[in-house]
């Protein structure tokens, strides 16, 4: 069974690893719940400033465990949800970067679509093939994919279930960058460490909430104004300006939850 490992280093970067390489990190219900627990821990831990999600071995995640004993497509019991990762990555108040180091199929890709930033191996295979299995996309993919790339590209993937490469995913806007597989995790970690060192936690949390909101332009203007009112005049606002003048990394005092959510 795929396990979920969480490691937090001294710089405030948390690495969440889907660890079941012999099964290409296939996901079971218990693994998905454990991923939600890992996100929750990262969200509430003030020491965590950025999160990287990756897979062990040569794949990111081959999707749901479709072995007969797993019963992935059996009649559900209890409180079933098609979005079993709770909270999803987009509700974590820190940046969540998906380092898609290999194939990401089905729920393996839809979990990555919940992240804020995606780097992908250029030769990885990506697909949301659920319509070819008599199902539909999960993990809010009809929301996340449409937001990320628009209706035309989202429809092409979700309605056909076809497979694309990591390079094509980057070209279509599904991932920010396509890289040689060995470079994916180091590149994601470099971004995470830079963000952890330089970005203000409260500012990041406020900005992320606005990015993932469904507010119209006028509502965003009001929300941005509230965010500025919450941040202007604080010690961290003064520290940010001082760090820029002195050409050094800032020394932040605030945490992700220090200010009222404007959205």
């Amino acid at each position: 069974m795929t396990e979920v490992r969480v490691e937090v280093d001294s710089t405030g970067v948390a690495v969440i690893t889907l660890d079941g390489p012999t099964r290409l990190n296939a996901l079971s219900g218990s693994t998905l719940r454990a991923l939600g627990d890992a996100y929750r821990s990262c969200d509430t831990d003030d020491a965590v400033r950025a999160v990287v999600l990756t897979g062990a071995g040569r794949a990111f995640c081959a999707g749901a465990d479709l072995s007969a004993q797993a019963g992935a497509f059996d009649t559900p019991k209890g409180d079933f949800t098609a979005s079993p990762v709770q909270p999803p990555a987009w509700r974590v108040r820190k940046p969540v970067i998906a380092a898609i180091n290999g194939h990401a199929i089905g729920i393996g890709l839809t979990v990555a679509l919940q992240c804020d930033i995606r780097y992908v191996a250029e030769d990885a295979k990506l697909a949301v093939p659920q319509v070819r299995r008599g199902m539909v996309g999960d993990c809010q993919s009809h929301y996340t994919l449409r937001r990320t790339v628009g209706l035309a590209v989202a429809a092409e993937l979700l309605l056909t279930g076809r497979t694309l490469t990591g390079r094509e995913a980057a070209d279509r806007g599904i991932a920010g960058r396509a890289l040689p597989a060995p470079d994916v995790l180091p590149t994601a970690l470099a971004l995470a460490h830079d963000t952890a060192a330089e970005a203000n936690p409260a500012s990041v949390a406020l900005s992320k909430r606005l990015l993932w909101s469904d507010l119209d332009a006028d509502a965003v203007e009001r929300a941005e104004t509230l965010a500025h009112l919450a941040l202007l005049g604080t010690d961290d606002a003064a520290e940010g300006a001082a760090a820029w003048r002195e050409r050094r990394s800032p020394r932040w005092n605030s945490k992700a939850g220090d200010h009222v959510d404007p959205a």
Side-chain angles (χ1 to χ4, degrees), residues 74-98:
D74 291 351
T75 302
K77 300 176 182 178
D79 296 329
F80 173 79
T81 173
S83 298
V85 180
Q86 295 295 333
W90 51 272
R91 288 199 183 278
V92 177
R93 291 172 294 179
K94 293 83 184 273
V96 182
I97 305 164

Side-chain angles (χ1 to χ4, degrees), residues 103-215:
H103 302 334
I105 306 296
I107 200 168
L109 179 55
T110 60
V111 162
L113 288 169
Q114 295 182 331
C115 297
D116 303 300
I117 299 165
R118 283 167 293 283
Y119 292 159
V120 64
E122 55 194 4
D123 60 351
K125 294 181 179 179
L126 283 68
V128 187
Q130 278 88 326
V131 293
R132 301 188 179 200
R133 308 288 182 267
M135 302 299 294
V136 298
D138 44 36
C139 287
Q140 301 147 319
S141 54
H142 293 80
Y143 169 79
T144 58
L145 191 55
R146 180 165 43 84
R147 284 180 61 89
T148 300
V149 293
L151 180 60
V153 177
E156 184 179 339
L157 268 69
L158 292 170
L159 302 184
T160 71
R162 79 174 189 88
T163 299
L164 64 163
T165 65
R167 170 59 59 190
E168 185 179 0
D171 290 343
R172 305 296 292 275
I174 297 166
R177 295 179 65 183
L179 302 156
D183 297 341
V184 172
L185 181 57
T187 302
L189 287 171
L191 179 62
H193 282 112
D194 180 65
T195 303
E198 302 293 335
N200 178 263
S203 299
V204 168
L206 288 167
S207 185
K208 178 168 176 172
R209 181 67 181 92
L210 288 172
L211 279 171
W212 281 95
S213 73
D214 281 325
L215 302 178

Side-chain angles (χ1 to χ4, degrees), residues 230-244:
L231 295 167
L232 287 170
T234 64
D235 290 343
D236 274 2
E239 169 61 14
W244 179 82

